[in-house]
Amino acid sequence: MKLSLVNEIDIPAMKQTVAKAPGFPHFCIDNFLEEAFASQVLEAFPSYSEAEKLGRTFSAVNEKRKIQITDSRLFPASIYKLHEILASPEFVGAVSEIMGIKNLLPDPNLSGGGIHETNSGGHLDVHVDFNYNAELALHRRVNILIYFNRDWPEDYGGYLDLWDKDVKNCIGQFAPIFNRAVGFETSDISWHGVHPVTCPAGALRKSFAVYYYTKEAPDGWDGVEHSTIFKARPTEYWKGTVAMPAENLARAAQKSIRSVKQGLKKIIR
């Protein structure tokens, strides 16, 4: 496949790579975009302070010091062009063929996707993603992450790690190096996370994320919708036994309070 501004992808070879991938279907493509275009996208990323004004900031136990900009109307021209390419029928069709999932659809709202920037000290714990987008009435099926970090040494951290279904063994690690794309099937066993970012102050882990959906439910779906589910890595005993349960309780309490407030408003009306 050759698409404007995307380097040629050998679809038959990629299909074999995905089929043989350990754990769950996934792939990694280096030099994904044409070099000049990838450089334009990198240069267009906003600073962290600018991004704070445009997007959502995460500061929870499971996900912190990260900003996400999903509104494509706020994207600089080259990043908006990237968004258009990744949502084009030609590219979506190629992803559908590579992953062996028929009738994939892009998300026009980029729910949870778009521009991602993680500052030093940030991280994203191991998780599986939400499996159903109620607003679109679609099932989430594929994630693709594209990285825009030049000269990113190993000691900066921030690599993507993939895990087996029990989150006992790491089955893959991918450094977030410049112009690398990583994609994987989204399912109830596609456990993945981002190790702590340890880059110097002023450097950022930059990426662009897109997710693809189908109207049809995946084979074997049990009919249960769920939001993002987190698990601790085997080495994160304190987080798994104390921090995560405490945050879950706090979220449940906040949800109950919101429900009570909404009920009171209905009564007052």
Side-chain angles (χ1 to χ4, degrees):
M1 182 206 78
K2 184 67 177 78
L3 186 66
S4 176
L5 302 178
V6 176
N7 285 322
E8 187 169 358
I9 299 173
D10 185 338
I11 291 180
M14 288 302 302
K15 289 174 69 173
Q16 290 187 11
T17 296
V18 167
K20 295 177 181 178
F24 52 88
H26 64 270
F27 63 82
C28 175
I29 302 175
D30 287 334
N31 301 313
F32 175 67
L33 302 171
E34 293 183 1
E35 177 74 18
F37 179 57
S39 295
Q40 290 174 8
V41 173
L42 171 57
E43 291 169 4
F45 266 76
S47 67
Y48 197 78
S49 59
E50 291 171 335
E52 285 180 310
K53 300 172 185 176
L54 300 174
R56 176 186 177 189
T57 301
F58 292 82
S59 57
V61 168
N62 300 123
E63 190 171 10
K64 63 186 295 187
R65 294 185 65 76
K66 170 186 166 184
I67 296 174
Q68 168 185 292
I69 305 172
T70 60
D71 187 346
S72 62
R73 295 171 298 181
L74 303 176
F75 294 169
S78 56
I79 297 181
Y80 187 83
K81 180 63 177 176
L82 174 62
H83 162 56
E84 287 186 316
I85 291 169
L86 299 176
S88 68
E90 296 84 0
F91 186 80
V92 177
V95 175
S96 186
E97 187 173 354
I98 288 169
M99 301 302 295
I101 302 174
K102 295 180 179 179
N103 305 318
L104 283 178
L105 298 168
D107 178 5
N109 301 326
L110 286 173
S111 302
I115 297 171
H116 290 181
E117 294 189 353
T118 305
N119 213 335
S120 182
H123 70 272
L124 173 59
D125 287 335
V126 174
H127 64 285
V128 289
D129 296 299
F130 65 86
N131 62 354
Y132 187 75
N133 187 318
E135 183 180 357
L136 299 176
L138 296 174
H139 298 268
R140 185 166 171 177
R141 304 299 302 277
V142 176
N143 290 6
I144 293 183
L145 314 167
I146 306 168
Y147 301 107
F148 294 94
N149 307 292
R150 283 197 190 277
D151 304 319
W152 188 267
E154 185 177 345
D155 60 5
Y156 280 15
Y159 53 82
L160 173 72
D161 52 353
L162 309 182
W163 292 80
D164 63 13
K165 62 183 179 65
D166 299 315
V167 192
K168 298 295 184 183
N169 301 291
C170 184
I171 59 173
Q173 291 184 343
F174 303 95
I177 61 175
F178 179 72
N179 206 10
R180 166 176 282 178
V182 178
F184 54 90
E185 182 177 350
T186 311
S187 69
D188 286 344
I189 64 166
S190 59
W191 294 98
H192 60 284
V194 176
H195 260 251
V197 177
T198 53
C199 60
L204 296 171
R205 182 187 188 273
K206 302 173 183 178
S207 62
F208 191 87
V210 287
Y211 311 130
Y212 299 96
Y213 296 82
T214 58
K215 293 180 181 178
E216 304 79 17
D219 292 341
W221 188 50
D222 60 7
V224 178
E225 300 173 27
H226 66 73
S227 58
T228 303
I229 301 172
F230 288 94
K231 276 191 178 182
R233 295 176 177 87
T235 56
E236 298 173 329
Y237 180 79
W238 180 85
K239 182 174 284 186
T241 58
V242 179
M244 284 185 178
E247 181 148 298
N248 289 337
L249 285 173
R251 286 178 177 172
Q254 290 173 353
K255 185 176 181 180
S256 297
I257 291 171
R258 286 196 297 269
S259 297
V260 170
K261 287 182 177 179
Q262 290 171 355
L264 290 173
K265 286 181 180 179
K266 290 180 181 179
I267 293 172
I268 292 172
R269 288 174 184 170

